[in-house]
Amino acid sequence: MSVLSIETTPIEGQKPGTSGLRKTTRTFMGKHYLENFVASIFGAIGGAEGKTFVLGGDGRYFNDRAVQVILRMAAAEGAARVIVGQGGILSTPAASNLIRKRGTDGGIILSASHNPGGIDADFGIKFNGPNGGPAPESLTAKMHDLTTRIVGYRIWEGADVDMSSLGETSCGDMTVEVVDPVADYAQLMEGLFDFSALKALFAGGFTMRFDAMHAVTGPYATEILERRLGAPAGTVMNGSPSPDFGGGHPDPNPTWAKELMAVMTGPDAPDFGAASDGDGDRNMIVGRGAYVTPSDSLAVLAANATLAPGYAKGLAGVARSMPTSRAVDRVAEALGIEAYETPTGWKFFGNLLDAGKVTLCGEESAGTGSDHVREKDGLWAVLLWLNILAERKISVAEIMADHWKTYGRNYYSRHDYEAVETGKANALMERLEAKLADLPGTIVQGTTVEAADQFAYDDPVDGSRSEGQGVRVIFEGGARIVFRLSGTGTQGATLRVYLEDRVEGPEGLDRPADEALQTIIAAADEIAQIREMTGRNKPDVTT
Ligand code: VG1
Ligand code: CO
């Protein structure tokens, strides 16, 4: 057995997007496809020699094979050790935690997150650095550059590594350490939240459902909610992970988490409902008959965080991605702390968290997190909500009503037009960009446009600049529309239209969102001519 040198040639389109490289599973299974990208990761970070990495994925189809390939390539490149979750499984936040806790040189996470899994669905891979966070743009640009010039890679020739039992084994000269994927993560959560208050909450009859959507959080939620906190068996639904997520779409929103929504709006609705995505970094929060938008959830968590022991000392600052509603900005203002606005994608929060400028951050796409790891964290958000509910002893609906009364309400919705022909989507954005300068001062659907621009971000920590991060149209009175193209899709282009309107209160705080946003929705179509340019009459998914 020995190291093999394999000749290869570049494969087109190996460019990481918002969150790593995401393609169809069959693309990843193609000759040299995974190998070329893994070799380019190792190349971009200056080699793997003597290094220690974390490795794991969300268990989707091809996860098991990809883990074996990556282990053999790491061994051939001289890596010292790879810490891998049992069965090749690690949720994204658990991987981030292990990278940090064990002081490693980074980690490789296998997931296409909320995209469906299976041989005819999607797969993905990304590299997280020693801080536990997704590689910054400068590093993903290097990876992409290397994929365009690759001529060969090295791989250890040997048998599969046994992933089923805990402990140390080897692959060539490299040590492979198989760890329990849940243990370290559960311990981290115990340090942040008041587990005895949460136990008392469940013991007192508080009811909840957690929909793991047949994805990676099943074992994590079962261990923490049912075993450690004493929630009754059955609290976790769809808790057994499967390679195709039970044939579903593991995206925690009211459209895809239909089963949970039906329970939460039904006659025997529990007090609290939550769901997580394929790799466990997203969350959906819903009270009895009360869905909480992710943007509002971030604002509520920021306003109440000090109720949890891990955040009792207060927040250094908060950050949200640009399209996320500005609800959290109001909370930051009231707390007298800074609110940062970053481009879409968790990698942009890394520097702010590392520099201690922010404690909480979030995205409208159901992602919330804190400085405890460098990824968004689904179960963490659920536990923080539970800790707040245990302390305040009122319902989710009451918390929301109280929040809006105090801070005003930012009505919010996102409309996605999926698998649009790439040419058409690009034309729509180009047309929009060309007319940005003329928009301010014009009246659209009865409201005056105050400002319009293409969002660019200057990182306050390392000074790097990221351009072309989405078009913003801001109206007088606080309404806003954002247009951008997704960087995680695998078919054509996905146009995302983010709609927001601001109501100060005390009147008009409890209208249905689609009704409250009617004018803004019409304004979005008038400005971007969505129907005409895409040929679509309505969005595919509304969240
Ligand atoms: C989407 C979301 C973004 C999120 C990203 C990765 O990106 O909008 O907020 O960070 O997915 O999330 P895009 O480019 O498709 O809009 V995950 O849970 O898929 O890693
Ligand atoms: Co995810």
Side-chain angles (χ1 to χ4, degrees):
M1 287 199 272
S2 59
V3 172
L4 296 180
S5 289
I6 311 278
E7 275 180 34
T8 183
T9 50
I11 300 165
E12 248 182 88
Q14 290 196 295
K15 187 174 183 175
T18 314
S19 185
L21 182 67
R22 212 168 279 189
K23 296 283 174 193
T24 63
T25 310
R26 286 189 194 274
T27 303
F28 267 99
M29 292 167 71
K31 199 168 181 199
H32 303 319
Y33 192 90
L34 173 68
E35 292 85 347
N36 276 10
F37 192 71
V38 172
S40 302
I41 291 177
F42 290 146
I45 61 168
E49 184 82 43
K51 291 183 178 170
T52 296
F53 300 107
V54 166
L55 173 64
D58 63 10
R60 68 181 60 223
Y61 188 89
F62 193 53
N63 188 119
D64 50 354
R65 293 313 312 151
V67 163
Q68 296 293 341
V69 168
I70 295 166
L71 284 176
R72 282 204 281 262
M73 288 184 70
E77 292 300 326
R81 175 183 293 262
V82 173
I83 301 162
V84 46
Q86 192 174 21
I89 305 292
L90 281 174
S91 77
T92 291
S96 182
N97 177 46
L98 273 178
I99 292 170
R100 297 166 62 76
K101 188 171 177 182
R102 299 290 304 273
T104 67
D105 299 288
I108 292 177
I109 301 176
L110 304 170
S111 171
S113 191
H114 56 289
N115 296 23
I119 190 164
D120 290 313
D122 295 335
F123 194 78
I125 174 169
K126 69 174 177 175
F127 178 78
N128 284 28
N131 74 342
E137 277 189 332
S138 53
L139 192 57
T140 55
K142 263 191 208 164
M143 292 172 196
H144 176 230
D145 176 53
L146 289 175
T147 64
T148 65
R149 299 188 283 115
I150 190 163
V151 293
Y153 59 84
R154 288 188 293 178
I155 189 159
W156 175 260
E157 188 191 25
D160 277 4
V161 180
D162 175 19
M163 296 279 104
S164 62
S165 25
L166 300 180
E168 287 190 0
T169 155
S170 63
C171 176
D173 295 332
M174 182 180 83
T175 304
V176 178
E177 182 183 339
V178 180
V179 299
D180 178 338
V182 179
D184 295 272
Y185 178 84
Q187 193 189 13
L188 176 69
M189 294 300 116
E190 284 202 17
L192 293 172
F193 303 112
D194 185 347
F195 269 39
S196 37
L198 298 186
K199 262 189 237 168
L201 182 72
F202 286 116
F206 179 89
T207 51
M208 115 170 238
R209 284 295 192 88
F210 179 90
D211 189 349
M213 303 187 87
H214 299 286
V216 78
T217 35
Y220 294 84
T222 307
E223 170 65 24
I224 294 173
L225 299 173
E226 296 186 4
R227 289 201 199 102
R228 299 198 186 195
L229 296 176
T235 296
V236 177
M237 54 197 263
N238 300 320
S240 304
S242 74
D244 70 344
F245 308 119
H249 200 131
D251 194 352
N253 61 46
T255 303
W256 295 114
K258 264 197 212 87
E259 205 182 328
L260 177 69
M261 286 307 283
V263 173
M264 295 308 297
T265 50
D268 301 316
D271 297 304
F272 187 63
S276 191
D277 71 333
D279 60 330
D281 57 357
R282 296 188 178 203
N283 73 89
M284 178 173 90
I285 300 295
V286 50
R288 186 178 290 126
Y291 167 71
V292 181
T293 70
S295 295
D296 274 343
S297 176
L298 175 64
V300 167
L301 295 184
N304 295 279
T306 52
L307 295 175
Y311 306 94
K313 290 199 197 108
L315 309 176
V318 291
R320 60 166 173 81
S321 66
M322 184 273 281
T324 304
S325 101
R326 292 156 298 171
V328 73
D329 298 19
R330 291 300 169 112
V331 176
E333 212 180 322
L335 293 174
I337 57 174
E338 198 71 40
Y340 294 87
E341 183 175 47
T342 60
T344 297
W346 211 261
K347 59 183 157 208
F348 293 101
F349 293 132
N351 280 343
L352 295 171
L353 291 164
D354 285 351
K357 288 181 180 294
V358 307
T359 310
L360 288 200
C361 33
E363 296 191 278
E364 53 63 44
S365 54
T368 344
S370 88
D371 58 0
H372 69 292
V373 288
R374 293 293 179 273
E375 285 281 4
K376 51 188 184 269
D377 188 344
L379 209 43
W380 166 90
V382 173
L383 291 167
L384 181 49
W385 261 97
L386 284 172
N387 207 146
I388 291 166
L389 290 167
E391 291 297 329
R392 293 193 58 180
K393 303 183 187 359
I394 54 175
S395 71
V396 172
E398 285 163 335
I399 286 190
M400 294 320 300
D402 178 58
H403 188 90
W404 294 329
K405 211 174 95 202
T406 310
Y407 299 98
R409 180 170 180 183
N410 291 56
Y411 281 101
Y412 192 83
S413 183
R414 187 179 96 188
H415 289 187
D416 293 335
Y417 296 82
E418 294 179 339
V420 176
E421 236 176 81
T422 310
K424 286 184 181 172
N426 288 339
L428 182 148
M429 290 305 289
E430 277 158 27
R431 184 187 153 277
L432 203 53
E433 280 157 33
K435 64 186 259 188
L436 280 182
D438 302 330
L439 279 175
T442 57
I443 297 170
V444 188
Q445 301 286 322
T447 314
T448 308
V449 176
E450 194 176 270
D453 68 357
Q454 170 75 264
F455 180 59
Y457 177 64
D458 292 300
D459 188 304
V461 179
D462 68 12
S464 60
R465 186 172 174 82
S466 304
E467 286 176 345
Q469 298 294 330
V471 165
R472 303 189 278 197
V473 181
I474 297 165
F475 295 84
E476 278 174 6
R480 185 182 71 155
I481 307 170
V482 174
F483 301 90
R484 63 178 280 280
L485 298 183
S486 155
T488 58
T490 56
Q491 251 100 47
T494 293
L495 170 69
R496 302 204 196 282
V497 184
Y498 309 81
L499 306 139
E500 179 182 0
D501 201 1
R502 167 90 194 151
V503 175
E504 296 298 333
E507 302 303 317
L509 294 174
D510 51 7
R511 300 167 67 195
D514 49 352
E515 187 196 299
L517 291 168
Q518 238 170 25
T519 315
I520 293 303
I521 293 169
D525 196 53
E526 189 180 325
I527 292 172
Q529 294 181 358
I530 303 168
R531 291 170 204 235
E532 213 177 296
M533 304 282 298
T534 63
R536 303 285 179 84
N537 273 327
K538 57 176 182 54
D540 299 283
V541 180
T542 299
T543 50

